[in-house]
């Protein structure tokens, strides 16, 4: 027999009866069982603090992150040009003078000279043929990374054939456009299709091709402008021939 019965089970009726002492203990224990840490306001504040500290884009970048940033394409290209052999760099830049000087001289004089335009197209055809022949010279040595197969040797003949076709055209504008196509195909072969040249040479090829293409298109544009002007204005700009 229990002196202070808390719970009395009534057999046969499946019921539980609470004594007054048990009810008093239940009311006294339940408030104590609530922990202050389960306060909704404190839990919400803790979650906000954890979320705030977990966001990576609120953190400032350290100096190491900015210092380890990779250089851009322009910076790497300039570095490759600096590492190129000086004879190749200087001769390539000097070879661009006949291209750039023709439209520059015409623009300064304000007159279109057909002789200079034809000389530029002829020099462009020779340059395109030379670029195509370089692939043969690069692929023929035994220790060369490029093999003398159909891919290298046959594609090298495309540029000279287009250059020859440019000289057969009567209109200088058509010849210039044909040379631009030939230069684009040759650049695609050397940079993308046949990527065995050193990096400095590829950068040099890109720079040279851009200058040559812009020079040829500038000459063709000056020719178009001269043809649109009245014939009398063009005759006034030409020097008078002595009797």
């Amino acid at each position: 027999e229990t002196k202070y019965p808390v719970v009395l089970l009534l057999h046969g009726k499946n019921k539980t009866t609470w004594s007054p002492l048990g009810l008093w203990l239940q009311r006294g224990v339940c408030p104590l069982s609530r922990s202050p840490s389960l306060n909704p306001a404190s839990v919400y504040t803790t979650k906000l603090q954890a979320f705030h500290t977990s966001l990576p884009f609120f953190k400032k970048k350290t100096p190491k992150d900015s210092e380890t940033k990779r250089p851009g394409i322009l910076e790497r290209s300039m570095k490759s040009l600096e590492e190129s052999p000086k004879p190749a760099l200087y001769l390539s830049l000097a070879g661009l003078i006949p291209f750039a000087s023709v439209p520059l001289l015409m623009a300064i004089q304000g007159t279109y000279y057909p002789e200079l335009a034809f000389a530029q197209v002829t020099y462009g055809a020779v340059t395109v043929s030379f670029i195509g022949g370089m692939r043969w010279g690069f692929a023929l040595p035994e220790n060369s990374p490029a093999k003398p197969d159909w891919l290298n040797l046959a594609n090298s003949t495309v540029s000279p054939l287009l250059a020859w076709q440019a000289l057969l055209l009567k209109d200088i504008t058509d010849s210039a456009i044909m040379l631009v196509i030939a230069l684009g195909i040759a650049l695609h072969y050397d940079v993308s299709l046949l990527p065995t040249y050193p990096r400095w040479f590829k950068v040099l090829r890109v720079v040279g091709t851009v200058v040559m293409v812009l020079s040829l298109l500038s000459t063709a544009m000056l020719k178009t402008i001269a043809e649109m002007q009245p014939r009398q204005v063009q005759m006034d700009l030409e020097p008078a021939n002595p009797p």
Side-chain angles (χ1 to χ4, degrees), residues 60-202:
K60 295 182 179 180
K61 293 183 178 180
T62 58
K64 293 183 179 180
D65 296 337
S66 59
E67 292 177 359
T68 57
K69 185 179 179 181
R70 295 184 60 184
I73 298 177
L74 183 60
E75 296 179 0
R76 286 180 291 176
S77 301
M78 294 302 297
K79 185 177 180 180
S80 299
L81 284 179
E82 294 176 358
E83 295 175 354
S84 61
K86 299 305 179 183
L89 177 62
Y90 295 152
L91 289 175
S92 299
L93 295 179
L96 298 176
I97 295 177
F99 281 101
S101 61
V102 171
L104 183 61
L105 181 61
M106 292 182 183
I108 293 175
Q109 296 292 330
T111 306
Y112 171 75
Y113 296 101
E115 296 81 5
L116 290 179
F118 180 75
Q120 184 193 42
V121 168
T122 305
Y123 182 74
V126 174
T127 305
V128 171
S129 301
F130 174 75
I131 292 174
M134 284 192 302
R135 173 60 58 174
W136 280 66
F138 186 70
L140 290 180
E142 296 181 357
N143 57 350
S144 175
K147 298 180 180 180
D149 52 8
W150 286 99
L151 181 64
N152 287 296
L153 301 183
N155 287 325
S156 300
T157 61
V158 176
S159 300
L161 290 176
L162 293 178
W164 170 67
Q165 182 66 30
L167 293 177
L168 296 179
L169 298 175
K170 295 181 179 180
D171 191 6
I172 293 296
T173 302
D174 297 337
S175 300
I177 294 175
M178 182 64 68
L179 288 178
V180 169
I181 296 174
L183 289 170
I185 293 175
L187 182 64
H188 173 67
Y189 285 161
D190 294 340
V191 176
S192 301
L193 186 60
L194 308 172
T196 52
Y197 285 131
R199 179 175 176 80
W200 64 265
F201 183 76
K202 293 180 181 180

Side-chain angles (χ1 to χ4, degrees), residues 3-38:
K3 187 176 181 180
Y4 299 102
V6 177
V7 180
L8 296 178
L9 296 177
L10 299 179
H11 300 282
K13 294 184 179 181
N14 196 16
K15 293 183 179 180
T16 303
T17 304
W18 292 89
S19 66
L21 179 60
L23 295 175
W24 180 82
L25 290 175
Q26 184 185 12
R27 288 194 298 267
V29 172
C30 290
L32 295 177
S33 61
R34 294 183 180 179
S35 175
S37 60
L38 297 179

